């Protein structure tokens, strides 16, 4: 209810109370005090409403991150770092002016340069971190991987360098010369949760092998009886492979494929060798969901993306 509505209701009620009250109750002094008190309350109410209104109007709007600008800045930092590392790695004396333009502190420039350039390739960003020191721009640490072939040495090496970049007023400069860093990562002690093998000559193995041949090769084969009505998809279009063979079929726990419950879903992981020729091929792991039919054969329900993970390491050959 608004203040005006409250006043419209309160005034007639107050008037009625005054009119019906004994004549001695409201003296001139008491009426004056009542008027002053009500006037004060009115002023306070008006001031409170105005303050509340100002608080709502002047409340700062939450700042929305400018994601487009952030992404653009990251791209610029990566591009600058890649160029700086490339010039620094391959540079000779003639590249000193270029490097000088790219650093913020020219005292950090090398006093001597190599006379024979180093061959590099495949420069890529491995990690990117930022920090805001406060009042002095933004500092970026860019770890870059690069393949290097030293002079007079045909053996290439994959190395990682850290480039420190300072950003201020949208200008980018290298804060220091790059340095070689370690890029080792902690190992992951996990494996797929498929610990038992099924013979590739079993009823399940035979069906999976036939499906792989039709699904992964460039022929005109169809999936036909190898898939169920719930299967979606078709053979991989424009496949570069001319052959596909199931090498290993793994299940979670031991499974008797000839006595498995009809219609029950079974998760499997199939190792497929997809070949360009007898001597050139790739080996792939393909998770699938299958089921056994009432006539003792098997059908593929789906080629899956999610692979269940186990903390127990698989023993090769099991």
């Amino acid at each position: 209810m608004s203040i005006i509505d409250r006043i419209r209701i309160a005034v007639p009620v107050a008037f009625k109370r005054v009119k019906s009250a004994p004549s001695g109750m409201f003296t001139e002094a008491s009426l004056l005090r009542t008027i002053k008190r009500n006037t004060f309350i009115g002023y306070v109410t008006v001031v409170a409403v105005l303050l509340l209104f100002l608080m709502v109007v002047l409340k700062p709007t939450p700042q929305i991150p400018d994601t487009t600008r952030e992404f653009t800045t990251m791209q610029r930092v990566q591009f600058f770092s890649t160029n700086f590392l490339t010039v620094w790695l391959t540079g000779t004396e003639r590249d000193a002016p270029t490097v000088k333009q790219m650093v913020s502190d020219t005292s950090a420039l090398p006093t001597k340069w190599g006379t024979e350039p180093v061959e590099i390739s495949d420069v890529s960003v491995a990690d990117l971190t930022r920090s805001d020191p406060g009042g002095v721009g933004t500092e970026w640490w860019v770890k870059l991987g690069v393949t290097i072939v030293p002079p007079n040495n045909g053996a290439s090496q994959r190395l990682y360098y850290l480039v420190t970049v300072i950003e201020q007023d949208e200008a980018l400069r290298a804060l220091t010369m790059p340095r070689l860093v370690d890029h080792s990562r902690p190992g992951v002690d996990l494996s797929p949760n498929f610990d038992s093998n099924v013979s590739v000559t079993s009823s399940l193995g035979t069906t999976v092998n036939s499906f792989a041949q039709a699904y992964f090769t460039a022929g005109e084969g169809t999936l036909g009886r190898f898939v169920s009505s719930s299967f979606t998809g078709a053979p991989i279009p424009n496949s570069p492979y001319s052959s596909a063979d199931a090498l290993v079929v793994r299940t979670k726990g031991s499974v008797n494929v000839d006595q498995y419950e009809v219609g029950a879903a079974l998760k499997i992981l199939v190792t497929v060798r997809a070949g360009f020729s007898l001597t050139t091929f790739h080996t792939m792991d393909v998770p699938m969901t299958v089921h056994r039919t009432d006539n003792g054969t098997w059908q593929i329900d789906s080629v899956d993306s999610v692979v269940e993970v186990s903390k127990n390491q698989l023993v090769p050959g099991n």
Side-chain angles (χ1 to χ4, degrees):
M1 182 181 295
S2 66
I3 296 176
I4 296 177
D5 292 335
R6 291 177 184 273
I7 294 173
R8 287 176 178 174
I9 295 173
V11 169
V13 172
F15 180 77
K16 185 176 181 180
R17 289 179 59 187
V18 172
K19 186 176 181 180
S20 61
S23 58
M25 179 177 293
F26 294 102
T27 62
E28 183 176 348
S30 65
L31 287 175
L32 184 60
R33 286 195 301 271
T34 301
I35 292 172
K36 288 182 177 179
R37 182 174 65 251
N38 291 341
T39 302
F40 175 76
I41 294 174
Y43 281 131
V44 171
T45 302
V46 171
V47 171
V49 172
L50 288 175
L51 289 175
L52 180 61
F53 175 76
L54 290 174
M55 290 175 62
V56 173
V57 172
L58 300 179
K59 182 180 179 180
T61 304
Q63 187 175 2
I64 301 175
D66 190 345
T67 54
T68 301
R69 183 177 180 181
E70 290 288 330
F71 179 76
T72 302
T73 301
M74 290 175 59
Q75 292 289 94
R76 290 177 57 239
V77 170
Q78 294 180 58
F79 183 76
F80 174 87
S81 303
T82 301
N83 285 345
F84 180 66
L85 182 66
T86 300
V87 175
W88 181 79
L89 284 173
T90 61
T92 58
E93 188 67 39
R94 65 183 181 183
D95 298 299
T98 302
V99 176
K100 183 177 180 179
Q101 293 178 352
M102 302 179 77
V103 298
S104 60
D105 182 10
T106 56
S107 65
L109 288 171
T111 56
K112 290 185 179 181
W113 292 82
T115 57
E116 190 173 355
V118 175
E119 293 183 17
I120 68 170
S121 62
D122 302 324
V123 183
S124 60
V125 177
D127 197 7
L128 181 68
T129 310
R130 63 175 292 172
S131 173
D132 297 311
V136 293
T138 302
E139 191 171 323
W140 297 82
W141 302 290
V142 188
K143 183 186 289 187
L144 296 153
V146 57
T147 300
I148 292 181
V149 181
N152 304 319
N153 187 343
S156 62
Q157 292 178 275
R158 187 67 176 174
L159 301 174
Y160 292 85
Y161 289 86
L162 186 68
V163 177
T164 304
V165 178
I166 192 74
E167 174 202 353
Q168 190 173 45
D169 299 329
E170 298 189 355
L172 300 175
R173 293 291 185 273
L175 190 60
T176 60
M177 293 295 105
R179 63 184 175 93
L180 184 67
V181 293
D182 178 50
H183 191 61
S184 59
R185 298 289 189 181
V188 179
D189 189 21
L190 297 171
S191 60
N193 195 20
F194 297 89
D195 53 7
S196 295
N197 286 4
V198 173
S199 172
V200 292
T201 61
S202 65
S203 56
L204 174 58
T206 301
T207 298
V208 168
N209 187 70
S210 299
F211 169 80
Q213 292 174 357
Y215 189 74
F216 288 110
T217 63
E220 297 295 330
T222 59
L223 304 180
R225 68 181 187 279
F226 310 127
V227 299
S228 66
S229 58
S230 62
F231 186 89
T232 58
I236 302 296
N238 303 318
S239 171
Y241 303 112
S242 59
S243 66
D245 301 291
L247 302 180
V248 181
V249 179
R250 289 184 283 179
T251 60
K252 179 182 178 182
S254 181
V255 173
N256 187 331
V257 297
D258 296 323
Q259 296 182 3
Y260 199 77
E261 181 182 354
V262 172
L266 175 64
K267 298 285 186 179
I268 63 175
L269 185 65
V270 184
T271 300
V272 176
R273 181 175 60 198
F276 300 95
S277 66
L278 292 177
T279 56
T280 305
F281 53 84
H282 292 140
T283 304
M284 306 180 292
D285 282 329
V286 186
M288 301 182 191
T289 300
V290 299
H291 76 272
R292 184 168 174 262
T293 66
D294 54 7
N295 62 2
T297 61
W298 290 80
Q299 289 184 331
I300 285 78
D301 296 323
S302 63
V303 174
D304 303 327
S305 298
V306 178
V307 179
E308 186 175 345
V309 177
S310 170
K311 293 184 179 180
N312 300 319
Q313 288 289 350
L314 291 175
V315 178
N318 279 5

